[in-house]
């Protein structure tokens, strides 16, 4: 009879997916695991992003783990601070603190002699039977190569690395019109002497009462529910199923939601000239849909300008646009997004026979079912390529993926396998199915967005929840090379 052994596991990243993985491992009886996190705190994006106006654009009740329900959110759409506190509290509530190593950046992971050897930035070394890369998607800030950026005399800050800069009474420039740009613009506008929003591409901004407090009575009632985990899951499933249907199928529901998006612009921006400049030339929901309760009001204020001419250079004192206008600024805010397809890189990851992740992903990131990469045995990702960032509950997806991984770990523990590696065939088949399912999605209707890994490869999940559950519930041996 095979001997039971406790696998040594390293989880890289203590954001939402690392917390999910840690909890599932503990619950499944694995003790020998470490969660390494390069930041000084847990929380991932909610740790790194601290810009003014930060809040979640998914209602809080659905934006939490079903295994750790929090009934008493302060707001229906929680602030960044509150979500970060939730994550921090979870580390203790789920008894993960003793497994956690903060300020520990993994720089290299090499599969050698049937195990993983990890090097850290502080010169340390970790060995592991399994690695779980919970390294996130929107992690590395993207800073465009604007000519003259270094010459700007005032503070320049990327929203994902916010520092305490003074914006009150200043002439502020915000570059970028994604969810972040809209949030930070709206938060800084009231106190700025003048604020200029530089838009390479305007966005549809859908009105929602984003600052609405969650009534206390709701918290009290939810707390009294006998199976809160079930209600969280139900709310996630209802929300996800609605959004999934809307983005993956061109039905009347999509058209109705898009009509609402168009109506928000028409009703909330009365100035016809401004409205014309704010109107995107692509369908609502094609890019990640931006929600806001006040952007269209604030962009029309006397101290605000919306500039859609291209930026040609940044000077010592401002930004020059293609129409020759020089916009004088004291502070420059870059809401220019993320290198969203890097995943665990720039960590140097080498799998079987020395295969590097850069070579394996030379044609773009790919992984079977968001988690397993051919050539990289005993390594799994949580929220890897094709994760449903734009259509489903990420907490649910992270938990489901972690449970899937735990099934393989169980088989290692039982001595059934020493190594597990997904096949090229299974991964190709999955990629072909993804490409086919992507055709009728709204993301494919003629806009450019961070969803695109390259010109014709959309890095999202184009299927419904049933497919997600089916893929991640029962591992199929035929899709793997088992040693
Ligand atoms: O980043 P983005 P984000 N010159 O990539 C512009 C999540 N999120 O940080 O549209 C000029 O969406 C770029 O222009 P264009 C959410 O999933 C969630 O805003 O490419 N402009 C775009 O306007 C979201 O989708 C919350 O033409 C340049 C902007 O920069 C994701 O994070 C809150 C440029 C980048 O927009 C990313 O959002 C915030 C250039 N050279 C974010 N390069 C929640 O509430 C780029 N841009 C949960």
């Amino acid at each position: 009879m095979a001997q039971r052994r406790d696998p040594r596991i390293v989880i890289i990243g203590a954001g939402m997916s690392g917390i999910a993985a840690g909890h599932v491992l503990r619950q499944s009886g694995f003790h020998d695991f470490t969660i390494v996190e390069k930041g000084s705190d847990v929380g991932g994006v909610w740790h790194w992003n601290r810009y003014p106006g930060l809040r979640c654009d998914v209602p809080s009740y659905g934006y939490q783990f079903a295994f750790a329900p929090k009934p008493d959110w302060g707001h229906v759409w929680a602030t960044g601070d509150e979500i970060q506190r939730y994550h921090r509290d979870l580390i203790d509530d789920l008894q993960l603190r003793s497994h956690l190593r903060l300020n520990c950046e993994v720089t290299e992971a090499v599969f050698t002699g049937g195990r993983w050897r990890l090097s850290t930035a502080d010169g340390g070394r970790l060995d592991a039977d399994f690695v779980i890369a919970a390294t996130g998607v929107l992690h590395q800030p993207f800073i465009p190569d604007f000519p003259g950026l270094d010459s700007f005399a005032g503070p320049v800050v990327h929203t994902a690395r916010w520092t305490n800069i003074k914006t009150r009474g200043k002439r502020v420039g915000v570059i970028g019109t994604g969810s972040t740009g809209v949030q930070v613009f709206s938060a800084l506008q009231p106190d700025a002497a003048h604020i200029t929003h530089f838009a390479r591409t305007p966005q549809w901004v859908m009105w929602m009462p984003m600052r609405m407090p969650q009534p206390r009575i709701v918290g009290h009632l939810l707390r009294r529910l006998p199976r809160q985990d079930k209600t969280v899951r139900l709310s996630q499933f209802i929300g996800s199923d609605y959004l999934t249907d809307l983005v993956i199928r061109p039905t009347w529901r999509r058209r109705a939601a898009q009509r609402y998006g168009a109506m928000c612009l028409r009703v909330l921006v009365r100035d016809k000239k401004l409205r014309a400049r704010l109107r995107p030339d692509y369908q609502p929901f094609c890019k990640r849909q931006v929600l806001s309760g006040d952007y269209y009001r604030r962009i029309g204020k006397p101290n605000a300008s919306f500039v859609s001419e291209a930026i040609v250079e940044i000077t010592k004192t401002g930004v020059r646009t293609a129409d020759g206008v020089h916009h004088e600024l004291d502070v420059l805010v870059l809401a220019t997004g993320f290198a969203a397809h890097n995943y665990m890189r720039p960590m140097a990851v080498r799998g079987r026979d020395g295969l590097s992740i850069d070579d394996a992903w030379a044609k773009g990131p790919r992984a079977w079912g968001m988690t397993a990469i051919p050539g990289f045995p005993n390594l799994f990702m949580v929220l890897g390529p094709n994760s449903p960032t734009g259509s489903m509950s990420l907490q649910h997806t992270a938990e489901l993926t972690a449970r899937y991984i735990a099934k393989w770990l169980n088989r290692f523990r039982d001595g059934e396998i020493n190594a597990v590696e997904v096949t090229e065939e299974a991964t190709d088949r999955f990629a072909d199915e993804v490409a086919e399912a992507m055709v009728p999605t709204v993301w494919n209707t003629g806009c450019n967005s961070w969803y695109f890994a390259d010109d014709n490869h959309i890095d999202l999940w184009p299927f419904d929840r049933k497919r997600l559950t089916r893929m991640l519930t029962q591992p199929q041996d035929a899709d793997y090379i088992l040693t």
Side-chain angles (χ1 to χ4, degrees):
M1 200 175 123
Q3 208 160 11
R4 271 174 74 90
R5 64 241 160 115
D6 206 5
R8 167 98 195 98
I9 307 154
V10 172
I11 300 170
I12 307 176
M16 177 217 289
S17 36
I19 293 173
H23 170 65
V24 168
L25 292 193
R26 260 202 95 247
Q27 230 190 9
S28 312
F30 296 100
H31 305 289
D32 193 6
F33 69 90
T34 306
I35 309 174
V36 288
E37 164 58 55
K38 76 175 186 182
S40 60
D41 200 355
V42 302
V45 289
W46 300 104
H47 163 66
W48 293 103
N49 284 269
R50 299 171 201 175
Y51 59 83
L54 172 66
R55 62 175 63 237
C56 187
D57 58 8
V58 178
S60 330
Y61 200 68
Y63 196 84
Q64 58 181 335
F65 293 113
F67 57 73
K70 172 178 161 61
D72 52 353
W73 291 96
H75 289 85
V76 175
W77 285 272
T79 61
D81 272 355
E82 197 176 8
I83 299 173
Q84 176 57 356
R85 277 199 302 280
Y86 168 72
H87 287 133
R88 215 177 274 143
D89 291 348
L90 279 187
I91 292 294
D92 294 316
D93 296 350
L94 302 173
Q95 297 175 44
L96 295 175
R97 181 75 57 193
S98 60
H99 294 275
L100 182 65
R101 268 177 69 178
L102 295 173
N103 301 306
C104 182
E105 179 176 2
V106 177
T107 51
E108 189 184 57
V110 179
F111 187 71
T112 171
R115 297 193 89 206
W116 283 95
R117 200 186 58 212
L118 283 70
S119 309
T120 56
D122 57 7
R125 197 179 128 173
L126 294 158
D127 291 317
D129 296 304
F130 284 85
V131 168
I132 300 178
T135 40
V137 185
L138 302 171
H139 173 51
Q140 287 148 30
F142 170 67
I143 299 183
D145 194 9
F146 293 118
L149 182 59
D150 288 345
S151 67
F152 187 68
V156 179
V157 64
H158 189 283
T159 44
R161 296 292 180 273
W162 194 263
T163 50
N164 258 344
I165 51 165
K166 193 167 172 240
T167 56
R168 179 187 289 267
K170 304 282 183 194
R171 296 166 302 176
V172 181
V174 175
I175 304 179
T177 53
S179 304
T180 307
V182 165
Q183 287 185 341
V184 76
F185 173 90
S186 306
L188 299 183
Q189 177 274 326
D191 290 333
H194 191 89
I195 185 161
T196 309
H197 202 179
F198 295 95
R200 183 167 66 179
T201 319
Q203 285 261 12
W204 291 104
V205 181
M206 223 167 245
W207 185 86
M208 289 282 156
M210 301 301 288
R211 287 166 199 265
M212 187 162 79
Q214 174 176 298
R216 288 226 178 136
I217 181 79
V218 173
H220 285 308
L221 291 175
L222 289 173
R223 204 192 307 268
R224 277 175 177 68
L225 286 178
R227 286 295 307 270
Q228 280 183 41
D229 55 340
K230 280 200 167 168
T231 60
V232 171
R233 255 192 233 294
L234 190 67
S235 80
Q236 286 173 341
F237 289 172
I238 293 170
S240 292
D241 289 355
Y242 177 74
L243 187 60
T244 306
D245 178 60
L246 197 156
V247 290
I248 70 174
R249 295 181 196 98
T251 63
W252 67 269
R253 281 179 289 271
R254 183 189 294 177
R255 287 192 294 279
Q258 290 180 325
R259 268 199 289 275
Y260 174 68
M263 189 188 81
C264 291
L265 176 62
R266 209 170 46 244
V267 171
L268 298 173
V269 182
R270 305 309 299 171
D271 176 336
K272 282 191 183 159
K273 279 191 186 151
L274 177 61
R275 194 194 305 157
R277 284 192 294 128
L278 285 168
R279 186 188 307 282
D281 60 1
Y282 54 87
Q283 299 185 21
F285 291 96
C286 183
K287 287 172 179 271
R288 160 75 179 227
Q289 186 55 49
V290 177
L291 307 181
S292 172
D294 52 3
Y295 177 75
Y296 280 150
R297 185 161 47 85
R298 297 199 180 281
I299 193 68
K301 293 284 181 191
N303 72 337
S305 313
F306 183 79
V307 172
S308 48
E309 285 75 20
I311 294 171
V312 289
E313 66 164 337
I314 296 187
T315 67
K316 198 172 168 199
T317 56
V319 169
R320 192 180 312 282
T321 44
D323 52 359
V325 176
H326 187 261
H327 305 266
E328 294 281 328
L329 301 171
D330 303 311
V331 178
L332 191 55
V333 175
L334 305 177
T336 44
F338 299 86
H341 310 286
N342 277 9
Y343 293 97
M344 67 279 254
R345 296 174 288 181
M347 192 198 308
V349 185
R350 288 194 175 275
R352 184 168 45 77
D353 307 325
L355 176 68
S356 77
I357 193 70
D358 285 337
D359 286 343
W361 283 359
K363 290 186 187 154
R366 64 196 274 266
W368 178 95
M370 306 171 282
T371 186
I373 313 167
F376 294 81
N378 293 7
L379 179 142
F380 289 95
M381 298 180 73
V382 181
L383 300 186
N386 295 110
S387 287
T389 329
S391 59
M392 251 181 252
S393 161
L394 291 180
Q395 285 82 358
H396 173 68
T397 308
E399 184 189 340
L400 200 64
T401 309
R403 294 197 188 286
Y404 175 86
I405 298 167
K407 291 195 169 103
W408 289 113
L409 298 175
N410 273 328
R411 290 175 70 175
F412 179 94
R413 176 163 61 185
D414 292 344
E416 248 185 69
I417 57 168
N418 286 323
V420 48
E421 177 191 333
V422 73
T423 62
E424 287 282 355
E425 295 72 34
T427 313
D428 283 346
R429 200 168 54 241
F430 174 69
D432 289 345
E433 287 164 4
V434 166
E436 194 187 332
M438 216 44 100
V439 175
T441 66
V442 73
W443 311 308
N444 192 33
T445 53
C447 66
N448 187 19
S449 72
W450 66 263
Y451 293 158
F452 279 82
D454 59 47
D455 284 354
N456 44 30
H457 171 188
I458 301 175
D459 189 0
L460 284 176
W461 181 262
F463 308 113
D464 60 13
R465 185 165 54 84
K466 277 193 197 132
R467 172 76 187 254
L468 186 86
T469 312
R470 201 167 62 238
M471 279 190 83
L472 294 176
T473 300
Q474 191 50 53
Q476 302 293 328
D477 284 6
D479 291 338
Y480 284 86
I481 306 161
L482 303 177
T483 315

